[in-house]
Amino acid sequence: MSRQLLDRQLVDVQGRLIGKVDDVEFAIDPEGRPYLGTLLTGPGALGLRVGGRLGRMMALAAERFVTDRPMAPLRIPYPLVARIDSAVWLRVRAEELPAPPVEQWLRRHLIDRIPGAGRAGG
Amino acid sequence: MRKLLAATLGILSAVGGFVDVGDLVAASQAGARFGMAHSWVLLLGVVAICAYAEMAGRIAAVTGRAVFDLIRERLGARVALLNLVASYVVTVVTLAAELGGVALAVRLATGVPYLIWVPVAGAAVWLVLWRMRFPVMERVFGLAGLALVVFAVALFWLPTDWAALGHSAVSGGQAGQGWGAYWFVAVALFASTVSPYEVFFFSSGGVEERWGTADLADARFSVLVGFPIGGFLALALIATATVVLRPAGLTVTGLEQVAHPVVLAFGGLGLAIAALAFFAVTFGAALETGLSAAYAAAQYFGWQWGKRVSPREATRFHTVLLVSVLLGVLLLLTAIDPVALTEYMLIISAVALPLTYLPILVVANDRTYLGDRVNGPWLNTLAAALLLVILAASIVAIPLAIGTRMGQ
């Protein structure tokens, strides 16, 4: 089950791209059986899974853009998943989830300062 | 009528996606040094890009996912990250070579040194990527790129010995330059026809234009017509170089030599048309390579990407786009010779080819993605044979480059 989910694209209810399933967390139910609890996405979680120097470098590069370190991944409780095909579709809209910190930082410091940032090219 | 128009536009996009600075340099060099002896390489390259672009387009239409998106699912996070790093480097070096081609084309038209045009070309490419409606630009550049047909026309205008030309296509060999140099040029020409960015771009474009299974026939049609037209234009470049440059003993050190045959045939008008065509194909390819670099990164990490959303909704995608264009400009501002850069670019592209093509073949056979639209046995046989050629080119590229000192 987790193999089917890992590295899939996360998509919100309107088709916006949220990130990839970078890692998954299992939880234990009252009867002691493990179940899929949470999907994790973000450079921190991905860096840990990639491992090695490459993974650390990537996580460190992403952390340069945030103030609170280490960078916490975005946690998506599994019940928010609506369906799974070639992507993992969520029941919520992207705005209801915390915005990715790197995206926010780049928006504030770079992209929004360039004229025309609010207009789609088509 | 509307269907015909749509088909034409698709073909234009494919032509624009096919011919770039790599083809201009590699095809001209092949002709100038070995005559038509490399025609078979071009034919093989066109068959390969048609087969694999069809698969990538089918995957995009059926699953709604682009190539790099699936590369990570199939290869896992770590191997796909290494693939991303390699593909990104190759694509940015290609972008730099294309920007160099734009600058050289403008110099050909104006006489002003090319280095001055490098930042201008970079800024113009970025501006188009930032503001313009992309399908429009793609078609404009594809249409202007068709001006390369002037090379085919020149072939009829000049006193071409067609029998000798045809003869050298089937029985040409190393022509006294050594087999090492022959195979070096063959690998470069092959890499220029099957550049990985072409499939990244093609499949991402399909996802952005929301192809469904109903669009499959159209996508297949534009691939199977557009890429061969591009191949025909490249063949015309080889042929004119064979007829004009080779007897004169000229080697290709810049776009002047590439344009020389049409200048000989049509004078100043020929030069103007050639410069326009060079500008169109390199500028169009610069747009596509820039986008491809950003597509690959965004699709690996799962970021929002594409031209349908505003830049502020896809800031990481647009940041990678901006940084890639800047890197390309900086690479050229080291005053590296753009033609030499193109040759290096073709060799590292050749090395990286399997990184793109192997996963496409794997996914195109995966029923969990494609259902009953997986490859048929004939296409699989063809694709597997082509993959062997791709692997061979990838393995011999570096040894050949070192052994022949870049084809000397």
Side-chain angles (χ1 to χ4, degrees), chain A residues 6-9 11 15-22 46 49-52 54 58 86-87 100 102-103 106-107 110-112 114-122, chain B residues 63 65 69 72-73 76-78 81-82 85 126 130-135 299-305 307-316 318-319 322 369:
Chain A
L6 276 177
D7 297 316
R8 293 251 160 162
Q9 181 71 48
V11 185
R16 263 173 233 255
L17 309 178
I18 310 281
K20 292 271 174 156
V21 181
D22 289 321
L46 178 60
R49 226 182 97 232
V50 166
L54 192 63
M58 189 176 60
S86 63
V102 179
E103 177 95 1
L106 288 171
R107 184 178 299 151
L110 178 68
I111 298 296
D112 259 357
I114 306 172
R119 211 198 64 167
Chain B
T63 66
R65 313 243 71 91
D69 200 339
R72 175 162 165 194
E73 276 176 45
R78 185 174 171 77
L81 183 60
L82 295 169
V85 172
W126 175 78
W130 181 259
R131 295 285 339 215
M132 302 281 177
R133 277 184 54 75
F134 193 71
Q299 288 164 11
Y300 173 85
F301 290 106
W303 303 334
Q304 182 69 52
W305 55 270
K307 297 276 292 162
R308 276 182 180 274
V309 295
S310 65
R312 69 185 310 272
E313 287 173 276
T315 62
R316 287 169 293 186
H318 272 277
T319 306
L322 179 60
Y369 290 111

Side-chain angles (χ1 to χ4, degrees), chain B residues 28-337:
Chain B
S28 242
Q29 250 164 6
R33 296 185 60 188
F34 300 96
M36 301 294 286
H38 288 95
S39 307
W40 66 272
V41 178
L42 199 59
L43 186 67
L44 194 63
V46 170
V47 172
I49 190 74
C50 283
Y52 278 86
E54 192 277 331
M55 286 185 241
R58 178 152 39 92
I59 293 166
V62 175
T63 66
R65 313 243 71 91
V67 167
F68 224 95
D69 200 339
L70 298 177
I71 283 183
R72 175 162 165 194
E73 276 176 45
R74 295 300 313 190
L75 299 184
R78 185 174 171 77
V79 179
L81 183 60
L82 295 169
N83 188 334
L84 171 66
V85 172
S87 300
Y88 182 80
V89 170
V90 169
T91 310
V92 169
V93 174
T94 312
L95 169 61
E98 306 296 348
L99 288 172
V102 174
L104 287 181
V106 180
R107 194 200 60 172
L108 203 58
T110 62
V112 180
Y114 85 92
L115 267 180
I116 295 174
W117 297 111
V118 167
V120 180
V125 164
W126 175 78
L127 201 65
V128 169
L129 292 173
W130 181 259
R131 295 285 339 215
M132 302 281 177
R133 277 184 54 75
F134 193 71
V136 178
M137 299 309 294
E138 197 186 6
R139 284 151 197 170
V140 168
F141 286 111
L143 185 63
L146 284 181
L148 276 181
V149 82
V150 73
F151 280 86
V153 177
L155 212 51
F156 288 97
W157 196 264
L158 295 165
T160 303
D161 181 351
W162 292 93
L165 202 63
H167 185 70
S168 82
V170 287
S171 66
Q174 46 102 359
Q177 308 227 16
W179 285 105
Y182 175 89
W183 285 108
F184 175 85
V185 171
V187 167
L189 189 63
F190 185 69
S192 80
T193 42
V194 294
S195 316
Y197 80 85
E198 290 170 33
V199 271
F200 291 148
F201 182 77
F202 186 68
S203 76
S204 304
V207 173
E208 277 221 88
E209 287 172 30
R210 307 212 173 103
W211 284 350
T213 44
D215 304 307
L216 266 178
D218 290 346
R220 197 168 286 157
F221 181 74
S222 34
V223 163
L224 294 182
V225 177
F227 285 146
I229 291 179
F232 166 74
L233 295 175
L235 188 68
L237 283 165
I238 300 186
T240 50
T242 304
V243 171
V244 176
L245 302 184
R246 194 168 179 227
L250 286 171
T251 51
V252 178
T253 53
L255 291 184
E256 299 91 321
Q257 287 85 19
V258 182
H260 183 62
V262 291
V263 177
L264 201 64
F266 306 116
L269 181 66
L271 181 70
I273 297 174
L276 171 74
F278 294 166
F279 177 81
V281 296
T282 51
F283 200 96
L287 297 175
E288 295 184 359
T289 45
L291 279 171
S292 297
Y295 284 147
Q299 288 164 11
Y300 173 85
F301 290 106
W303 303 334
Q304 182 69 52
W305 55 270
K307 297 276 292 162
R308 276 182 180 274
V309 295
S310 65
R312 69 185 310 272
E313 287 173 276
T315 62
R316 287 169 293 186
F317 172 74
H318 272 277
T319 306
V320 175
L321 209 51
L322 179 60
V323 169
S324 307
V325 175
L326 275 177
L327 284 174
V329 169
L330 286 176
L331 187 57
L332 281 167
L333 288 181
T334 59
I336 184 171
D337 171 29

Side-chain angles (χ1 to χ4, degrees), chain A residues 9-16 18 39 76-84 87-97:
Chain A
Q9 181 71 48
L10 288 162
V11 185
D12 88 344
V13 73
Q14 296 168 316
R16 263 173 233 255
I18 310 281
L39 308 181
I76 298 167
Y78 191 66
L80 288 187
V81 173
R83 66 172 201 279
I84 303 167
V88 178
W89 293 78
L90 303 180
R91 295 177 201 284
V92 289
R93 286 183 299 139
E95 297 84 50
E96 297 169 42
L97 299 166

